Amino acid sequence: ELFDRVHTFSIQSKLLTNDSFRYVKYFGKSWTKHYSTQNTSSNFYQVLSMERFNEHLFRERVNKALGQVRRLLSTERNPTFLEDVPHQYDDKFGVAEFLTNVALAAEFNCLEAMGLDAPKLVQLHAWAKEGKTVTLRVEVQETVTHSHTSEVKIESPSVQTTKKESNSNPATWFSTTESKLVTTVTEHHWKVSLHYDVFAFRGASPDDESDVLKIGGRTGQTDVVTRSKQAPGPSGAAESVDLDLTWALSFINPVQGSGSYTLKKLEIDRTVDSCRTPRRNKDIDTAVDNLCNMCNWARRVHKLYISLVQWIPLTGARGNTPLPSPEVEALRGHLQEINTQDLFVPVLPLLEEPSTSPLSLPEAGGGQDDVTTQMADDTSEPLSVLMSTQDMIKFLEDQRRALTTKVQALASQLPKDDSLLTPPEGALLVGCLHMIDIAKQHSDGVMYIEHVLYRQLTAAVGREVTAEDFQQYMERHDQKLYKAHCAPKPFCHAVRRPGYYPEGTVAIEAITSSGDLPSPIQTFQRNLSRPLPPGADTRSSEGSRSSGSIDMKFRLNASTNVEFRGDAFLHAYVGQKFADSKHLDVNLVARSRQFSSFMIVIGKMASSTTFEPSHAMIVKNKDCFKIPLMLEQLPSAKAFRDAIESLSPEQQRFAKAYRAMQLEGSVFGVLVVQLKPQLERLLRLNEDSLTKEIKLTQQLLDLFIEYQIPSDLLSYSGDPAASSEQKLEAVKGHVAAIYEMIGDAKKAEVEEARQTAEYTRKQNVIDDDSDCDDEEDCDGQDSWADNTVASFGAQQESSFAKLKKKTKSVSRSMLKSTRKAVPMSASMAMPMAMPPPMPKMMNAAAPMMQESSRAAEAMMMEMDVGGAAIEKYSAEVALETRGVSGDSVAESQNVDGGVEFKDDDGFDFEGDVEVEMSAGGQGRGPVVDVTAIPAMLDQKLEANDPDGALRATVVKVGETVEYSSQKALLAQAKTETLFTDDLKRHKDKAFDLLDALSRSGSLTIEDTCLHVMVAATHCFDRSVMDTVIKENVNPIEKVVRSSLIVASTIQDRNLDQLVNARELPRVKEFSIPQGLLKDS
């Protein structure tokens, strides 16, 4: 059917010729045959004829039928297409009912033409009324038997001419002889018989004769001659095709005592929830399914009989082509006569102007009692644009007349002997073809109503609304719907301190595959920070802001937890997903400005006070990280409840526990850490000291990240009451001294490498010169080599590497002062020469030499003495560095043997690496437990989302990250892709910096901002237009309901606090669930 439509269109458009299309149609039939064997359900032809609706061909068929309609009606009548007549929405339901009633009556006319007359239909209706299933079956069996063999002499059509010369007679010197080749062949005569039965039975099988109603059947035969011993056709078991008539028989209304019947009208129940549109409702769906079953049955019967007959005149079986004969040629012509081109199909979606539509009153003397397919309860109808019942009866009478005429014409043309194709077979095949046309016209008719709705909606809004258009509309709609402080806001936040220029931005951007510019997603937001009590100090002990901040922690490594303090925000994203939604790329984008820096840490929320990081990046100097986020939907609360309903208690508990874990793990978090304020606290500088110190900030970050210099070697340790300038100059001196020391260490390494290369070259010369003639020369060379080795042995081993390693070790001893360690054994002690003096560094950085000297002495003692002496000395150095008397060390030791320090700024140090968050060992977390938000949302959705369309969504980080950086001011920006190893390297650098900024977990990270996000997706099964047209659903109201549920859960507000007053009545009427309305 599909390829027939393509053929018609292609020929009319001159895209294909008839010859070229034959090849296309051949492959199309092969595909259709394969597809039909794989899809034997009744919906197969519904897919081809209904869902693949071709309005052009449909309108052609209707226009052709309109000429006959105008001949049947009066000249004042002018019915036309549905969309060409002004009408109401309910009129479309009337047209759908008209199409279905006419199609059902027309199918009964076809069954009567095939031998299932009115008395038999009444008897079948009685069977169906008993509660039994009634089935119509056509059973066909073909038999091929060998009759006899004969020999036939066949002359060759070509003539062979032979010339002969003769010398005896001049008159006959040249003579010509003609001859033909005669071949004797063996012909095999076959008797082909075809038997079929048409009967109906009730119940599961026709075993009992009392349950079988014979309708028709016959046996036809013909002779076929071949020149091969192989049978020309199949000979096997009977094949049967069944049709369930139970639904159709339910519309029969028998007339008592007459053997006739009328048909009940199908009326669409518009009060049930399943009734969506004139096309999408239970009554029409059932009618379409059953009419498609009739279409499927008719196709299979026609194909089965024709396939058993058609091989005789058209093709050979397995290469054995029958010989041409008059019978074969006659059969070929009879098969061409079996068609439905001239038959009237009364299934037409017509309306007419009310002014020209007469009242539907019965006509006197119209002979209506003779029409067995007239509709029951024929009463007068009010003035309407719909076609009347009397019009329906006229259409059906003309269809029945045309079908009867066609059957009679075939009866006069077909032979009446025992041939394969006689008038009964002609009536059966024509009836099947006409049933196919009626079912196809019905399915196209109800689809046409849906297409009219589609065109009307498109004309109303001016375009076809896509998922992207709907998303943009909802963003504007939410701004009007919600109050200003509750409306969704773009997820794009500046990294800044109050009153300062931003260091950069952090945003979650979305971009579709259509190529639109990326834009931040819209999220509901809530500040999770706890407000301070009235009169509380808004400054922390380290000089940072703490107004409304929260205290949380995350694990830096196996032995270190880092506490961070700052603002926290809860975000909720509600997305939409339609069947036509394009792929949505969601990226977390972090951008920094020139000479600016900050850090982002990405992960999940483990609890109300614990953050689990998975990725970390340092963003500085115009860096840009584009981190892909994947949105994975979990089953909705309704789907989960329905899925576990029939599970065992143990299985239900497992499923609920696993879902709870999934919901808790769906809380996505992004922690933004500002580096300059934390550097100021780490180095004991006043606030705002590093704001304009660009070079110093860059140097400090370089020392901490690249060289991992301990912060005690750089921090200010003088008078706390000193001015900002004095503190800053002291830190600059420390930085300069460290850089000078690094420079000297690098020079030493270069010199060491040079001497190593020189020594290697000289040694190779000595080894190669093994045959010295002069003993004194050899002795001189040996002496020179010994001097070279001694000189090289006096050089240091990579002094910079040793210094870096030992200073890091000393810093850990100074900060942590761990419990009493086991003394190093003598075998582990490694003597090490002191590095050479560096007078330039001492002269340039005199203020810090005491600390550098102590650090160097601590390194020596760590290598030369036991662990107890190291611990004691490290504690004394740390105390003196912070201005604490060494005599107080014994008093500060705790019961466990650890050392607890307290500096002048009021910061507590403990011997253990774990940081004490607050009283009771727990941090001061957000106002709400964010890990419980998904479960709370799930409970609300289960109670207030009957559609089960809103699904919790898990946000995951992609495997690769796009990284753009500019190495120098004059360099071009370079973009690269970071894979797993690259991401780990960035995370290690960020964690090394966090370790330095937090003094290995002993200093709280201030000036942070934690963004926590939960996501949900409202999923539609169809596209935007199909949701409105086919489901009769306003997606705006559905999404508004979902967003209200999410907003009320996230912001903990009722309806009146969320929605603007002018929008509240409309929302309460169409979008608010009853449970949420009661809560409000």
Side-chain angles (χ1 to χ4, degrees):
E1 174 63 24
L2 176 63
F3 278 86
D4 288 341
R5 294 177 178 181
V6 175
H7 179 219
T8 303
F9 176 76
S10 302
I11 298 302
Q12 292 175 352
S13 305
K14 298 182 179 180
L15 298 177
L16 291 174
T17 62
N18 279 311
D19 293 336
S20 61
F21 188 80
R22 283 187 300 175
Y23 299 99
V24 179
K25 192 172 183 180
Y26 169 76
F27 290 107
K29 287 185 175 180
S30 300
W31 172 83
T32 305
K33 181 178 180 181
H34 169 73
Y35 191 84
S36 62
T37 58
Q38 302 298 324
N39 300 269
T40 56
S41 65
S42 61
N43 292 329
F44 167 65
Y45 292 104
Q46 179 181 354
V47 172
L48 289 181
S49 62
M50 184 187 66
E51 296 298 336
R52 295 179 181 269
F53 171 64
N54 189 324
E55 187 176 0
H56 174 72
L57 295 179
F58 174 74
R59 294 181 73 91
E60 281 189 350
R61 295 197 300 267
V62 174
N63 283 325
K64 180 181 178 181
L66 276 176
Q68 182 67 15
V69 169
R70 293 188 176 97
R71 287 191 291 270
L72 294 175
L73 303 178
S74 61
T75 56
E76 293 83 6
R77 307 282 298 276
N78 187 28
T80 185
F81 284 93
L82 166 69
E83 58 185 321
D84 297 334
V85 177
H87 61 278
Q88 301 297 322
Y89 182 68
D90 287 344
D91 294 331
K92 292 183 173 65
F93 282 93
V95 172
E97 294 171 347
F98 176 85
L99 292 174
T100 305
N101 290 323
V102 172
L104 182 60
E107 295 285 17
F108 276 114
N109 287 341
C110 294
L111 292 176
E112 289 189 22
M114 290 187 291
L116 191 58
D117 54 15
K120 294 178 181 178
L121 286 172
V122 172
Q123 182 178 352
L124 296 181
H125 171 264
W127 287 356
K129 199 171 182 180
E130 297 174 357
K132 299 292 184 66
T133 302
V134 179
T135 305
L136 178 63
R137 173 174 292 182
V138 174
E139 194 173 78
V140 183
Q141 184 177 15
E142 185 178 37
T143 304
V144 180
T145 58
H146 189 269
S147 175
H148 63 278
T149 303
S150 63
E151 292 184 353
V152 179
K153 294 182 178 180
I154 301 177
E155 294 184 353
S156 174
S158 60
V159 178
Q160 184 177 2
T161 303
T162 304
K163 293 183 179 181
K164 185 177 180 181
E165 297 181 4
S166 177
N167 298 327
S168 59
N169 187 3
T172 60
W173 283 351
F174 298 96
S175 62
T176 302
T177 303
E178 295 182 353
S179 62
K180 288 187 177 182
L181 180 64
V182 178
T183 304
T184 302
V185 297
T186 301
E187 292 185 347
H188 298 270
H189 297 259
W190 304 86
K191 182 71 68 175
V192 179
S193 62
L194 188 64
H195 176 78
Y196 75 93
D197 285 317
V198 182
F199 58 93
F201 63 92
R202 59 180 172 183
S205 62
D207 297 336
D208 191 352
E209 294 184 358
S210 61
D211 295 333
V212 178
L213 177 63
K214 181 71 174 180
I215 298 174
R218 200 183 69 87
T219 300
Q221 60 184 4
T222 187
D223 293 330
V224 175
V225 180
T226 66
R227 293 172 182 172
S228 173
K229 294 181 180 181
Q230 189 176 15
S235 179
E239 298 185 47
S240 60
V241 184
D242 293 346
L243 172 64
D244 188 357
L245 287 177
T246 307
W247 174 83
L249 294 173
S250 64
F251 290 89
I252 289 181
N253 187 19
V255 178
Q256 296 293 336
S258 64
S260 61
Y261 66 93
T262 58
L263 290 178
K264 302 176 184 176
K265 285 186 178 181
L266 179 142
E267 295 182 354
I268 300 174
D269 188 359
R270 310 177 196 180
T271 61
V272 296
D273 295 335
S274 60
C275 181
R276 302 293 186 182
T277 65
R279 168 61 188 88
R280 310 290 169 172
N281 56 79
K282 183 178 179 180
D283 298 302
I284 296 298
D285 285 341
T286 304
V288 168
D289 288 341
N290 282 274
L291 289 175
C292 285
N293 287 338
M294 291 183 179
C295 176
N296 190 13
W297 176 83
R299 285 180 187 269
R300 293 179 61 190
V301 170
H302 181 269
K303 181 179 179 180
L304 177 62
Y305 195 88
I306 293 298
S307 63
L308 296 177
V309 174
Q310 196 174 23
W311 64 267
I312 300 175
L314 300 181
T315 62
R318 294 181 292 276
N320 190 15
T321 306
L323 299 176
S325 64
E327 293 81 2
V328 169
E329 295 299 327
L331 185 59
R332 187 195 305 271
H334 297 331
L335 288 174
Q336 294 178 354
E337 292 295 329
I338 300 177
N339 59 72
T340 57
Q341 296 178 358
D342 299 332
L343 295 184
F344 174 61
V345 180
V347 185
L348 304 172
L350 303 178
L351 292 179
E352 61 180 338
E353 294 287 346
S355 58
T356 62
S357 177
L359 293 177
S360 302
L361 297 177
E363 299 178 4
Q368 297 174 7
D369 292 339
D370 297 334
V371 181
T372 59
T373 56
Q374 72 178 18
M375 294 297 167
D377 303 325
D378 185 17
T379 58
S380 300
E381 298 178 356
L383 194 64
S384 172
V385 297
L386 299 173
M387 304 301 292
S388 66
T389 303
Q390 294 301 320
D391 297 334
M392 185 187 306
I393 294 175
K394 290 180 180 180
F395 294 167
L396 293 173
E397 286 178 347
D398 189 72
Q399 179 247 353
R400 185 173 183 176
R401 178 196 57 77
L403 182 59
T404 303
T405 302
K406 180 67 176 180
V407 172
Q408 292 175 354
L410 286 176
S412 62
Q413 297 174 2
L414 296 177
K416 299 179 176 57
D417 51 10
D418 59 350
S419 301
L420 294 179
L421 196 60
T422 59
E425 291 78 44
L428 176 64
L429 297 178
V430 168
C432 288
L433 292 177
H434 197 40
M435 289 181 70
I436 296 173
D437 293 339
I438 293 171
K440 181 171 61 177
Q441 186 78 351
H442 175 264
S443 61
D444 285 351
V446 293
M447 283 297 295
Y448 168 73
I449 299 175
E450 198 166 80
H451 275 246
V452 171
L453 287 171
Y454 186 89
R455 277 198 299 272
Q456 290 175 340
L457 182 62
T458 304
V461 299
R463 58 173 298 176
E464 179 181 349
V465 182
T466 63
E468 290 76 16
D469 299 331
F470 184 81
Q471 175 69 29
Q472 295 175 3
Y473 170 81
M474 290 306 304
E475 292 178 0
R476 293 191 293 267
H477 177 270
D478 288 343
Q479 301 303 317
K480 296 180 180 180
L481 176 64
Y482 293 95
K483 295 182 179 180
H485 60 280
C486 299
K489 299 177 180 58
F491 193 108
C492 183
H493 300 273
V495 182
R496 67 191 305 172
R497 289 179 290 173
Y500 291 86
Y501 196 75
E503 301 280 335
T505 58
V506 174
I508 296 182
E509 298 177 350
I511 180 172
T512 61
S513 57
S514 58
D516 297 333
L517 293 176
S519 59
I521 63 173
Q522 302 285 328
T523 61
F524 294 100
Q525 299 181 11
R526 178 184 179 183
N527 193 339
L528 297 178
S529 306
R530 291 179 181 269
L532 290 179
D537 188 9
T538 59
R539 309 289 296 182
S540 70
S541 59
E542 294 282 339
S544 65
R545 296 176 297 106
S546 61
S547 176
S549 62
I550 63 169
D551 291 346
M552 299 186 71
K553 63 180 179 180
F554 64 89
R555 186 171 293 278
L556 197 62
N557 50 51
S559 61
T560 305
N561 278 353
V562 174
E563 178 187 3
F564 63 91
R565 179 180 300 133
D567 296 329
F569 297 92
L570 176 61
H571 304 263
Y573 170 70
V574 181
Q576 304 93 40
K577 183 178 180 181
F578 292 89
D580 62 340
S581 295
K582 297 181 180 179
H583 178 68
L584 186 67
D585 291 326
V586 181
N587 299 301
L588 173 63
V589 183
R591 301 182 180 91
S592 67
R593 303 182 185 274
Q594 187 65 49
F595 304 128
S596 301
S597 59
F598 61 93
M599 184 189 302
I600 58 170
V601 184
I602 307 170
K604 303 284 186 181
M605 296 300 299
S607 67
S608 60
T609 59
T610 305
F611 181 62
E612 288 185 355
S614 60
H615 298 73
M617 294 96 172
I618 300 173
V619 191
K620 57 185 177 64
N621 297 332
K622 299 180 71 173
D623 285 351
C624 178
F625 287 89
K626 187 177 292 185
I627 306 164
L629 302 179
M630 298 178 295
L631 306 180
E632 297 182 0
Q633 290 86 25
L634 298 177
S636 65
K638 179 177 181 296
F640 176 77
R641 181 191 61 199
D642 296 341
I644 68 172
E645 186 176 6
S646 60
L647 297 181
S648 67
E650 292 78 10
Q651 294 168 344
Q652 289 186 5
R653 290 196 299 270
F654 171 79
K656 291 178 180 179
Y658 195 84
R659 181 172 176 83
M661 181 272 294
Q662 287 180 316
L663 294 175
E664 291 179 0
S666 65
V667 183
F668 178 74
V670 179
L671 176 65
V672 181
V673 180
Q674 299 189 46
L675 301 181
K676 287 183 180 179
Q678 189 64 22
L679 284 172
E680 293 169 356
R681 278 184 291 275
L682 177 67
L683 303 176
R684 299 186 181 87
L685 297 176
N686 295 341
E687 187 179 4
D688 198 25
S689 297
L690 296 178
T691 301
K692 299 180 180 179
E693 296 293 337
I694 299 175
K695 182 177 180 181
L696 179 59
T697 304
Q698 299 287 343
Q699 291 175 339
L700 289 170
L701 293 177
D702 187 61
L703 291 176
F704 287 138
I705 297 173
E706 300 298 334
Y707 301 103
Q708 299 182 7
I709 300 298
S711 60
D712 285 351
L713 300 180
L714 301 173
S715 60
Y716 173 75
S717 57
D719 184 8
S723 63
S724 298
E725 292 76 10
Q726 293 175 344
K727 294 181 179 180
L728 195 59
E729 288 300 325
V731 172
K732 288 181 179 179
H734 301 336
V735 172
I738 292 296
Y739 265 108
E740 187 169 1
M741 181 179 64
I742 292 174
D744 292 341
K746 289 181 178 179
K747 291 178 182 179
E749 288 186 352
V750 173
E751 181 64 22
E752 177 185 351
R754 187 189 65 79
Q755 292 185 9
T756 302
E758 183 68 19
Y759 170 75
T760 303
R761 187 179 65 82
K762 295 295 184 181
Q763 185 66 35
N764 291 336
V765 173
I766 295 173
D767 293 339
D768 293 340
D769 194 6
S770 59
D771 52 349
C772 296
D773 296 332
D774 190 353
E775 186 176 353
E776 293 180 357
D777 294 340
C778 292
D779 294 340
Q781 291 178 0
D782 292 340
S783 176
W784 176 86
D786 293 339
N787 293 334
T788 303
V789 173
S791 175
F792 178 77
Q795 298 296 327
Q796 303 171 356
E797 301 177 2
S798 184
S799 57
F800 169 69
K802 290 183 178 180
L803 178 62
K804 177 179 176 181
K805 180 178 180 181
K806 299 308 171 187
T807 51
K808 184 176 180 181
S809 177
V810 172
S811 67
R812 291 176 176 172
S813 299
M814 294 166 61
L815 292 175
K816 299 181 181 179
S817 296
T818 55
R819 294 176 174 84
K820 198 168 185 179
V822 179
M824 295 175 59
S825 63
S827 61
M828 296 175 61
M830 298 175 58
M832 170 184 173
M834 284 293 294
M838 293 177 284
K840 293 182 179 181
M841 182 181 66
M842 292 183 178
N843 294 333
M848 66 166 295
M849 290 314 298
Q850 291 183 357
E851 295 181 25
S852 300
S853 176
R854 291 191 181 119
E857 293 176 8
M859 291 193 309
M860 292 300 301
M861 293 188 65
E862 184 180 10
M863 302 305 298
D864 296 336
V865 299
I870 297 173
E871 183 178 359
K872 180 178 179 181
Y873 184 80
S874 300
E876 291 176 356
V877 172
L879 287 170
E880 293 177 9
T881 302
R882 306 181 188 281
V884 181
S885 173
D887 297 334
S888 61
V889 175
E891 297 178 0
S892 62
Q893 292 184 355
N894 54 23
V895 178
D896 297 331
V899 181
E900 178 179 331
F901 305 114
K902 187 170 184 179
D903 62 2
D904 294 337
D905 297 330
F907 191 87
D908 294 335
F909 292 87
E910 292 183 356
D912 203 359
V913 179
E914 290 271 349
V915 179
E916 184 180 0
M917 306 273 303
S918 63
Q922 297 295 328
R924 186 165 60 88
V927 178
V928 296
D929 183 3
V930 293
T931 58
I933 291 293
M936 296 169 53
L937 184 59
D938 208 46
Q939 293 177 358
K940 278 197 173 183
L941 291 176
E942 186 175 0
N944 301 309
D945 183 21
D947 300 332
L950 191 62
R951 302 181 183 180
T953 303
V954 180
V955 183
K956 294 183 178 180
V957 180
E959 296 181 355
T960 60
V961 174
E962 182 180 321
Y963 173 49
S964 178
S965 62
Q966 186 174 349
K967 300 301 181 183
L969 292 176
L970 300 181
Q972 294 293 330
K974 179 182 177 182
T975 302
E976 58 181 323
T977 301
L978 303 181
F979 296 94
T980 304
D981 294 339
D982 304 319
L983 295 176
K984 184 179 184 303
R985 186 170 61 253
H986 278 271
K987 179 181 177 182
D988 292 342
K989 285 185 177 182
F991 276 22
D992 288 341
L993 181 58
L994 283 174
D995 185 73
L997 295 177
S998 64
R999 297 195 188 115
S1000 294
S1002 61
L1003 179 63
T1004 302
I1005 302 293
E1006 306 276 356
D1007 285 282
T1008 63
C1009 186
L1010 177 64
H1011 297 278
V1012 180
M1013 187 177 78
V1014 295
T1017 306
H1018 193 113
C1019 299
F1020 294 91
D1021 296 331
R1022 301 179 182 270
S1023 64
V1024 179
M1025 298 296 290
D1026 287 348
T1027 300
V1028 180
I1029 298 300
K1030 296 182 179 180
E1031 299 293 335
N1032 196 31
V1033 170
N1034 184 358
I1036 300 175
E1037 298 172 355
K1038 299 295 184 180
V1039 174
V1040 167
R1041 181 184 66 187
S1042 298
S1043 66
L1044 284 171
I1045 296 174
V1046 174
S1048 62
T1049 305
I1050 297 300
Q1051 300 186 2
D1052 194 19
R1053 298 174 185 270
N1054 58 32
L1055 186 63
D1056 297 331
Q1057 295 172 331
L1058 290 172
V1059 182
N1060 283 320
R1062 64 177 180 274
E1063 302 287 340
L1064 198 57
R1066 177 180 60 85
V1067 171
K1068 287 184 176 180
E1069 181 178 1
F1070 298 110
S1071 298
I1072 292 298
Q1074 294 298 322
L1076 192 61
L1077 190 60
K1078 292 179 181 178
D1079 296 340
S1080 300

